[in-house]
Amino acid sequence: MLTFPLMAEKECLGVVLALNKIGADTFTAEDVNLFHKYMNFAQVIAMQHYTAYMFNVESRRSQVLLWSASKVFEELTDIERQFHKALYTVRTYLLCERYSVGLLDMTKEKEFYDEWPVKLGDVEPYKGPKTPDGREIIFYKIIDYLLEGKEEIKVIPGPPADHWALVSGLPTYVAENGFICNMMNVAADDFFTFQKEAVDDSGFVIKNCLSLPIVNKKEEIVGIATFFNRKDGKPFDEHDEQITEALTQFLGWSVLNCDTYDRLNRMEYRKDIAQEMLLYQSRCTTAELQSILNTNEKFDSEPEDCDQKELYKLLRATCPPADNVNGENLYLFSFSDFPVSEFDLIKAGIRMFFELGVIEKFKVPAETLTRWMYTVRKGYRSITYHNWRHGFNVGHTMFCLLQTGRLRKYYSDLDAFAMVAAAFCHDIDHRGTNNLYQTKSSSPLAKLHGSSIMERHHLEYSKTLMAEESLNIFCNLQKRQFETVQHSFDVCIIATDLALYFKKRTMFQNIVNATEPMPDEKEAIAFISNNPTRKEIVMAMMMTGCDLSAITKPWEVQSKVALMVAAEFWEQGDLERNVLDQQPIPMMDRNCSEQLPKMQCGFIDFVCSFVYKEFSRFHKEIKPMFDGLNNNRAHWNEQAEVYNAKMKVIDEQKKKLEEDEARKAGGGGDGKSKTCTIC
């Protein structure tokens, strides 16, 4: 016998045997040399074939992964569709006559009512095989790819136990153990119950098969893929195993995409449900609507059954006149909300929209406007300062800047409508704590919004109201107009973040400097209104002026509001001290309450003074706000000086006491220190 191994590097491809030399008992040395020479050629031929085969294997592997990847990411909605798209696309590279994918039920725990029959003994408990993670092996769907003749795909929900791909028990065995099973000769196997004859009317007979688990990232078996009859008639080899294993691994990992998509959908559904629950609680009720728009009493009908012009007349008559809201005038910057009830502030807010002349122009339904205004009021929480009264005051100041301050000439009616509406909403659902506290406490809002945390929440809330048909006061606008309104809301509400104020004030000052020397009013109007960026900068600074406007009110109003603001700050300081275990800054520390006048002066000088000084330069009609600010600054300074004088006396007494203690410590009976005695 002569033998020769055919090698590919360190791998043996085969062995050539020469048996029983003819005419002699043994092979000679010359026979060996001749045999080796021929075998060297055979080695080259075998290597060429092996290289071509391996090229084909790698090509198939890469194509399988490439195409399955492209299809997997096309379909995220459903694991069945995802698997089907990927498996169908790569069918030409799998080189088998059929393959079948069984999807497993992922339920780990049964519903309690499904366990009752078992616990009562009416039904036998499940005693069949289970997956490695303890699930009952139930194939809820089988997808068969029949490729041996005319291509056909069959989807069988709830497949029977005698289905041709399941009847052998091989898929169940793989699901139970998580093994890869390569059955090279089905006819000779006696472990599984393969059908030895044709499995269906097509005459298909199983000769060999390869079955693999599809495992997700959690190492749970989600399905079983079984490939039948390699096309060249040979059994599946290790390279087929590697290709199909790469495919099933990729499919298993891709389940994460579907799971993530499903989780996102569920979160979206929960958000929609929570939003619906929230709106149900905060939306204006029918009774609340009738308390303002009393159509039942006036017309003996519901608002939707009334003529819109009649509703406008009724709503106008219900709302207080602009010059007498419980004795206060809406056209004055000095307007105080204290004499007005929160309910009457809702009516006053509606009155402002009528004064702007935007209700009839933009066909705002009277019922919708009333519902929106009432819902905005209910959207503000009952907290110390950032409540509905503050929201109303900011909306009122925006109205005053536009009308009394004559800034409306730079804006369209739609702009004015959006600006006042945004001002009313600017602090809706405020929690009484600032952005820094949200960040420190790692609140969900801080995790959701990276910057301008509370402002972005107020904006989202406002847009949620817009999305509700019964609350959308902009419902009759054209698409382009509605987009303009939404952008105005973005600018106005985000601009109330004081962190952005310092970025925009230089730009605003440049606009004021440019318009101040212009002799012609039309030139100044064109300079701003024809430039969208300048309009937005002025709009943003107007919102800052509105948000801080309490500092410009008459002293008897401002002093009360300042205490409310301080009280809310102190409440936050208490949270920082007790919940976050941090020492609050003096402004938030109720132990530093005596420093309030001094801090108010600093706030006016550092933040507020610039706003109203520049606005009074910009439009002389706004000077009353600057005058009010200076008057309040003088009052706060008086109190600060009293505090400083008190602190000076305390410091002097403390210093004197320390000196007396030092003398006593010196021990000199004559009142002189020991050091002086030595000297």
Side-chain angles (χ1 to χ4, degrees):
M1 176 192 296
L2 292 179
T3 63
F4 190 92
L6 301 177
M7 302 293 293
E9 296 182 348
K10 294 183 179 181
E11 186 172 356
C12 182
L13 305 180
V15 178
V16 179
L17 303 178
L19 303 176
N20 299 352
K21 181 177 177 180
I22 299 173
D25 294 332
T26 59
F27 290 102
T28 64
E30 292 179 356
D31 294 330
V32 173
N33 290 334
L34 182 62
F35 179 67
H36 280 194
K37 287 179 181 178
Y38 278 104
M39 287 304 100
N40 286 332
F41 285 106
Q43 172 86 355
V44 172
I45 296 169
M47 189 64 184
Q48 183 181 16
H49 171 77
Y50 175 76
T51 304
Y53 177 73
M54 290 307 298
F55 174 80
N56 178 263
V57 166
E58 293 303 321
S59 177
R60 286 167 56 207
R61 190 203 310 273
S62 60
Q63 290 297 323
V64 162
L65 292 177
L66 179 64
W67 283 104
S68 59
S70 68
K71 294 303 175 183
V72 156
F73 292 107
E74 278 182 12
E75 186 59 62
L76 298 176
T77 58
D78 185 287
I79 186 174
E80 298 168 25
R81 291 168 62 85
Q82 188 184 58
F83 280 14
H84 170 65
K85 275 198 170 187
L87 287 165
Y88 180 72
T89 305
V90 301
R91 66 194 184 284
T92 55
Y93 304 106
L94 298 176
L95 301 182
C96 62
E97 294 181 353
R98 286 189 180 188
Y99 53 95
S100 179
V101 179
L103 299 175
L104 287 168
D105 186 352
M106 298 301 292
T107 306
K108 289 187 178 180
E109 295 182 3
K110 290 186 176 182
E111 295 286 357
F112 61 89
Y113 46 77
D114 289 330
E115 294 179 349
W116 289 343
V118 177
K119 291 179 178 179
L120 290 173
D122 297 337
V123 176
E124 283 291 321
Y126 179 83
K127 296 179 181 178
K130 294 185 177 182
T131 60
D133 61 339
R135 285 176 291 126
E136 296 177 6
I137 296 178
I138 300 172
F139 290 97
Y140 73 87
K141 187 172 288 186
I142 288 279
I143 308 174
D144 293 332
Y145 298 83
L146 314 180
L147 311 175
E148 71 272 13
K150 182 181 178 181
E151 287 188 0
E152 187 178 1
I153 299 170
K154 293 182 179 179
V155 180
I156 301 100
D162 61 352
H163 180 271
W164 69 268
L166 298 178
V167 69
S168 67
L170 176 61
T172 302
Y173 177 81
V174 173
E176 182 179 11
N177 297 284
F179 298 150
I180 297 174
C181 289
N182 188 352
M183 309 302 296
M184 296 185 175
N185 187 359
V186 165
D189 178 72
D190 57 3
F191 184 82
F192 298 105
T193 55
F194 286 104
Q195 292 173 269
K196 308 301 182 181
E197 65 283 352
V199 299
D200 53 32
D201 296 338
S202 68
F204 179 78
V205 176
I206 301 175
K207 300 172 184 175
N208 49 66
C209 66
L210 174 61
S211 189
L212 306 92
I214 301 173
V215 184
N216 66 14
K217 277 287 188 180
K218 298 177 184 177
E219 296 187 358
E220 300 167 330
I221 299 175
V222 298
I224 304 296
T226 307
F227 304 88
F228 299 92
N229 295 6
R230 210 168 99 158
K231 281 190 174 181
D232 59 4
K234 297 177 181 179
F236 293 100
D237 60 20
E238 61 177 318
H239 302 299
D240 295 312
E241 291 179 17
Q242 291 170 2
I243 291 173
T244 52
E245 185 179 13
L247 172 63
T248 53
Q249 280 183 344
F250 190 81
L251 290 176
W253 297 338
S254 69
V255 172
L256 181 63
N257 295 331
C258 285
D259 289 345
T260 303
Y261 185 80
D262 182 61
R263 284 199 299 273
L264 288 174
N265 278 335
R266 288 181 178 276
M267 288 175 64
E268 189 72 19
Y269 302 149
R270 288 192 181 97
K271 187 209 78 173
D272 291 342
I273 293 169
Q275 183 173 300
E276 191 273 334
M277 292 165 60
L278 171 68
L279 278 177
Y280 179 79
Q281 299 298 330
S282 62
R283 187 192 288 116
C284 173
T285 64
T286 302
E288 290 166 340
L289 175 67
Q290 286 295 325
S291 68
I292 296 177
L293 196 63
N294 194 358
T295 57
N296 289 343
E297 182 180 326
K298 298 291 183 182
F299 306 122
D300 193 27
S301 59
E302 297 299 324
E304 57 268 21
D305 300 325
C306 300
D307 180 68
Q308 198 59 234
K309 290 184 179 179
E310 292 298 323
L311 288 179
Y312 285 152
K313 288 181 182 178
L314 175 60
L315 194 55
R316 279 180 183 274
T318 303
C319 296
D323 60 352
N324 186 15
V325 181
N326 281 37
E328 295 289 334
N329 191 331
L330 289 174
Y331 281 90
L332 296 180
F333 288 110
S334 59
F335 176 92
S336 171
D337 66 284
F338 287 137
V340 190
S341 68
E342 292 194 357
F343 178 72
D344 286 338
L345 289 179
I346 298 173
K347 295 181 181 179
I350 295 172
R351 169 59 66 186
M352 282 187 251
F353 286 116
F354 276 114
E355 295 296 311
L356 289 172
V358 296
I359 305 302
E360 284 114 329
K361 179 170 183 177
F362 296 110
K363 300 177 182 178
V364 183
E367 177 189 2
T368 304
L369 176 62
T370 308
R371 284 188 184 278
W372 179 84
M373 202 75 213
Y374 213 118
T375 302
V376 169
R377 178 259 173 275
K378 292 176 75 174
Y380 278 88
R381 301 191 181 194
S382 297
I383 53 180
T384 308
Y385 175 67
H386 287 97
N387 49 39
W388 162 235
R389 288 186 177 275
H390 170 67
F392 174 85
N393 282 320
V394 172
H396 162 259
T397 307
M398 178 60 78
F399 169 80
C400 250
L401 286 174
L402 290 168
Q403 300 292 92
T404 308
R406 296 186 63 241
L407 294 180
R408 187 170 179 177
K409 61 187 178 182
Y410 304 115
Y411 298 97
S412 67
D413 289 340
L414 184 61
D415 291 332
F417 186 16
M419 289 162 73
V420 174
F424 281 129
C425 295
H426 84 286
D427 265 339
I428 195 167
D429 197 43
H430 200 290
R431 283 90 194 284
T433 50
N434 61 16
N435 289 338
L436 184 59
Y437 181 83
Q438 302 300 323
T439 302
K440 286 180 178 179
S441 61
S442 299
S443 71
L445 284 176
K447 294 173 183 176
L448 180 62
H449 305 297
S451 61
S452 302
I453 297 166
M454 290 306 302
E455 290 74 22
R456 295 190 189 280
H457 174 61
H458 307 320
L459 178 61
E460 289 295 321
Y461 197 120
S462 305
K463 289 185 175 180
T464 298
L465 300 185
M466 281 192 222
E468 187 71 14
E469 186 178 357
S470 64
L471 300 173
N472 185 10
I473 56 177
F474 307 106
C475 58
N476 288 320
L477 298 182
Q478 297 175 359
K479 183 181 178 182
R480 185 65 63 84
Q481 289 177 312
F482 187 70
E483 289 172 353
T484 300
V485 166
Q486 287 198 310
H487 181 66
S488 296
F489 266 70
D490 292 345
V491 173
C492 288
I493 295 180
I494 299 300
T496 58
D497 183 359
L498 275 181
L500 306 178
Y501 157 69
F502 298 99
K503 295 181 180 179
K504 69 195 176 195
R505 70 181 197 172
T506 302
M507 294 182 281
F508 176 65
Q509 189 175 44
N510 292 337
I511 293 173
V512 175
N513 292 338
T515 56
E516 192 175 29
M518 292 181 182
D520 187 4
E521 185 181 27
K522 292 182 179 179
E523 184 182 357
I525 293 173
F527 179 75
I528 294 174
S529 60
N530 292 341
N531 188 301
T533 303
R534 293 191 189 109
K535 279 177 65 177
E536 288 181 11
I537 293 169
V538 174
M539 184 188 297
M541 191 58 75
M542 287 170 70
M543 278 301 299
T544 301
C546 294
D547 203 17
L548 302 175
S549 61
I551 202 81
T552 69
K553 299 288 183 179
W555 170 248
E556 59 273 12
V557 176
Q558 208 286 306
S559 56
K560 292 179 183 178
V561 174
L563 291 175
M564 292 162 59
V565 176
E568 189 172 283
F569 283 169
W570 295 335
E571 289 165 8
Q572 176 176 323
D574 293 342
L575 289 174
E576 291 179 2
R577 183 182 289 109
N578 300 327
V579 178
L580 303 182
D581 196 24
Q582 296 179 1
Q583 177 61 35
I585 60 175
M587 184 173 67
M588 303 285 181
D589 191 349
R590 65 175 66 251
N591 297 326
C592 301
S593 58
E594 290 186 347
Q595 298 181 33
L596 178 61
K598 179 183 177 182
M599 288 188 284
Q600 283 292 100
C601 289
F603 181 64
I604 290 171
D605 295 341
F606 185 61
V607 177
C608 305
S609 183
F610 175 87
V611 180
Y612 301 106
K613 179 182 178 182
E614 293 304 310
F615 265 119
S616 64
R617 282 179 57 214
F618 188 40
H619 273 225
K620 65 180 183 299
E621 293 84 358
I622 306 176
K623 194 171 184 296
M625 297 187 82
F626 188 45
D627 293 339
L629 176 77
N630 290 330
N631 179 58
N632 290 329
R633 207 257 182 225
H635 279 286
W636 286 119
N637 190 54
E638 288 176 8
Q639 294 190 13
E641 287 179 353
V642 170
Y643 171 76
N644 290 337
K646 180 180 176 182
M647 293 304 297
K648 185 177 180 181
V649 170
I650 292 173
D651 288 342
E652 288 175 352
Q653 290 177 345
K654 184 178 179 182
K655 186 176 180 181
K656 185 178 179 182
L657 186 63
E658 288 175 352
E659 290 175 351
D660 291 343
E661 290 293 331
R663 289 194 190 97
K664 291 179 181 179
D670 57 356
K672 295 181 181 179
S673 68
K674 183 179 286 187
T675 306
C676 292
T677 303
I678 294 172
C679 290

